């Protein structure tokens, strides 16, 4: 055999034995997975109910630390709730497998945890932790007390402001308002060149009609042009009823309920075309977000069209609350059934349908949807708790561009 042929043959044999040292190789030997270890993503901080900025990932390796591809890694939520997308992942050519992690609904330091595991591998399971923080709200509510109550009563209004600011989190355009005295209600003071960011509520605690009649009334008064979201509203409470509400433990919830009406619950649904009173025998709220939350919380037991709206209770109760017979303990029915009435994601979904940015993760746990229910505990009927009058639509400069009846 000529020398030149013998040299070339030796080169080919060498490349066959030592492929990694020869250019142009197209095959590789698979690595058997032996070890799993944390790669990235643990120790992050994120807002409750939202996905972390970076995925969480592990690295799967074999002998000598070589990356092992094709290994299926299973991820599981251990604490905090939330979700993973996907629930399992396959390691890539670098041995990396990762998923997206959405945190649960409760704020806390290192209160969310996930494991990643592969049976039989050293280091399995790998644990990830994350801290969930409350959403930073850009929504501001300012109270203007026309007549104060006791220190405890005033504090209950302040607590309601804090709660709603936790749930409605998106900023709205500021508006400078000029409001003549008595425009929204008789005792309303004059307002001159006041910048409203994002909502101004007048609070008037006065004698109305004695114990056990109208507890109070609330309504928007000025709304933004275009979005129709409230700029200025008011809440009036009968001072004769406040001690009783405090004594039976429902004062805070009644105030929270009435502030919901100022924000627009049941008071301006007609501006958004979200209330249907003609299609069925029972009126219903037609917004898609509220309906999705209703179904997610057990709405399948209700055989009508969701979300059912109250059809009884008279003017000021009917057509402006969730239906008591089907939603019972939810805060925004027309009755407060003792302390412990949750403000659910259904109500927050309703505000989302109106155009507010909300934090669904901040809602109270709720599972009270029924086909039909009976009331239990001390019942406070919120009779005629929505005030009716003129609604003013204003532009960003505070100019009234339209009026309508509310």
């Amino acid at each position: 055999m000529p020398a030149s042929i013998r040299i070339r043959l030796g080169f080919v044999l060498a490349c066959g034995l030592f492929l990694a040292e020869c250019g142009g190789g197209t095959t590789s030997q698979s690595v058997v997975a032996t070890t799993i270890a944390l790669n990235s993503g643990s120790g992050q901080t994120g807002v409750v109910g939202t996905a972390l900025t970076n995925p969480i990932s592990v690295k799967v390796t074999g002998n000598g630390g070589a990356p092992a591809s094709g290994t299926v890694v299973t991820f599981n939520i251990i604490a905090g709730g939330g979700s993973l997308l996907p629930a399992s992942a396959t390691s890539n050519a670098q041995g990396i497998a990762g998923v997206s992690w959405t945190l649960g609904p409760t704020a806390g330091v290192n209160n969310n945890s996930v494991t990643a595991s592969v049976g039989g591998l050293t280091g399995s399971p790998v644990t990830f932790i994350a801290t969930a923080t409350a959403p930073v709200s850009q929504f501001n509510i300012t109270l203007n007390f026309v007549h104060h109550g006791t220190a405890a009563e005033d504090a209950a209004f302040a607590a309601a402001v804090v709660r709603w600011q936790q749930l409605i989190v998106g900023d709205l355009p500021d508006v400078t308002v000029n409001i003549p005295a008595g425009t929204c209600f008789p005792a309303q003071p004059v307002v001159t060149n006041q910048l409203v960011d994002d909502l101004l509520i007048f609070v008037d605690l006065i004698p109305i009609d004695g114990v056990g009649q109208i507890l109070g009334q609330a309504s928007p008064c000025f709304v933004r042009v275009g979005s129709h979201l409230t700029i200025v509203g008011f809440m009036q409470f009968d001072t004769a009823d406040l001690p009783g509400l405090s004594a039976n433990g429902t004062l805070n919830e009644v105030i929270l309920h009435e502030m919901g009406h100022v924000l627009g619950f049941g008071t301006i649904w007609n501006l958004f075309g979200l209330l249907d009173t003609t299609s069925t025998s029972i009126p219903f709220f037609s917004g898609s977000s509220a309906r999705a939350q209703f179904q997610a919380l057990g709405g399948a037991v209700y055989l009508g069209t969701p979300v059912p709206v109250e059809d009884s209770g008279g003017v000021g109760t009917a057509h402006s609350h969730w239906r008591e017979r089907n939603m019972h303990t939810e805060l925004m029915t027309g009755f407060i059934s003792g302390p412990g009435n949750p403000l659910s994601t259904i109500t927050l979904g309703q505000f989302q349908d109106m155009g507010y940015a909300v934090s669904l993760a901040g809602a109270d746990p709720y599972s009270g949807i029924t086909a039909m229910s009976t009331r239990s505990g001390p019942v406070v009927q919120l009779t005629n708790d929505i005030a009716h009058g003129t609604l003013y639509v204003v532009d960003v400069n505070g100019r009234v561009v339209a009026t309508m009846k509310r």
Side-chain angles (χ1 to χ4, degrees):
M1 181 181 298
S4 61
I5 296 178
R6 287 198 299 270
I7 293 171
R8 183 170 296 277
L9 179 60
F11 176 81
V12 172
L13 289 172
C15 282
L17 293 173
F18 305 103
L19 183 61
E21 297 181 7
C22 303
T26 58
T27 62
S28 63
Q29 184 177 356
S30 61
V31 175
V32 177
T34 60
T35 303
I36 184 173
L38 190 150
N39 181 65
S40 66
S42 187
Q44 295 183 75
T45 296
V47 176
V48 293
T50 64
L52 290 172
T53 302
N54 300 311
I56 54 174
S57 67
V58 294
K59 185 170 185 177
V60 182
T61 57
N63 292 330
S69 63
T71 301
V72 177
V73 180
T74 301
F75 293 80
N76 288 294
I77 293 173
I78 303 302
S83 61
L84 299 166
L85 187 66
S88 63
T90 303
S91 59
N92 61 18
Q94 289 74 44
I96 307 300
V99 299
S100 173
W101 183 9
T102 295
L103 300 178
T106 305
V109 177
N110 294 336
N111 66 331
N112 284 244
S113 62
V114 165
T115 59
S117 57
V118 178
L121 295 195
T122 300
S124 179
V126 174
T127 300
F128 299 84
I129 59 173
T131 292
T133 61
V136 178
S137 180
Q138 302 298 316
F139 190 77
N140 297 294
I141 300 174
T142 301
L143 298 181
N144 184 329
F145 281 88
V146 180
H147 294 100
H148 286 271
T150 66
E153 290 163 357
D154 286 2
F157 282 90
V161 166
V162 171
R163 183 66 176 130
W164 278 116
Q165 288 178 163
Q166 293 171 341
L167 300 173
I168 297 179
V169 297
D171 188 36
L172 297 176
D174 298 349
V175 180
T176 298
V177 295
N178 291 275
I179 308 174
T183 300
C184 296
F185 60 98
Q188 174 239 302
V190 64
V191 178
T192 304
N193 290 332
Q194 180 166 346
L195 181 68
V196 178
D197 173 31
D198 296 279
L199 173 62
L200 170 64
I201 302 177
F202 290 104
V203 178
D204 196 18
L205 308 182
I206 55 173
I208 296 178
D209 57 6
V211 177
Q213 303 300 312
I214 296 175
L215 303 180
Q217 292 189 324
S219 179
C221 181
F222 286 75
V223 299
R224 291 167 173 82
V225 68
S227 72
H228 291 149
L229 299 181
T230 309
I231 306 166
V232 179
F234 66 93
M235 302 168 66
Q236 290 181 302
F237 280 83
D238 192 338
T239 51
D241 288 303
L242 293 177
L245 296 177
S246 181
N248 66 23
T250 62
L251 177 63
N252 286 51
E253 291 181 349
V254 171
I255 291 172
L256 195 67
H257 174 108
E258 296 303 327
M259 202 169 287
H261 286 315
V262 176
L263 286 160
F265 188 103
T267 50
I268 52 175
W269 284 346
N270 60 308
L271 302 185
F272 303 91
L274 292 171
L275 176 65
D276 192 311
T277 61
T278 59
S279 297
T280 68
S281 58
I282 299 173
F284 63 89
F285 183 86
S286 61
S288 59
S289 293
R291 295 177 76 169
Q293 295 303 321
F294 182 84
Q295 295 296 343
L297 291 176
V301 300
Y302 176 67
L303 302 181
T305 304
V307 178
V309 170
E310 188 58 71
D311 59 343
S312 65
V315 176
T317 301
H319 297 178
S320 54
H321 298 85
W322 297 139
R323 194 168 190 243
E324 169 72 13
R325 293 190 294 280
N326 304 113
M327 297 177 67
H328 189 36
T329 60
E330 216 281 345
L331 180 73
M332 297 308 295
T333 71
F335 301 81
I336 300 294
S337 303
N341 294 264
L343 198 164
S344 74
T345 56
I346 305 170
T347 291
L348 291 187
Q350 171 269 163
F351 282 114
Q352 197 169 51
D353 287 322
M354 293 171 63
Y356 287 103
V358 304
S359 171
L360 293 174
D364 298 323
Y366 173 69
S367 57
I369 299 171
T370 62
M372 190 67 68
S373 69
T374 57
R375 303 183 185 101
S376 62
V379 175
V380 178
Q381 182 172 356
L382 301 173
T383 304
N384 199 25
D385 70 328
I386 292 179
H388 295 273
T390 301
L391 191 67
Y392 300 89
V393 183
V394 302
D395 63 18
V396 293
N397 298 310
R399 291 188 294 261
V400 175
V401 297
T403 60
M404 58 190 71
K405 291 295 182 182
R406 63 174 185 268

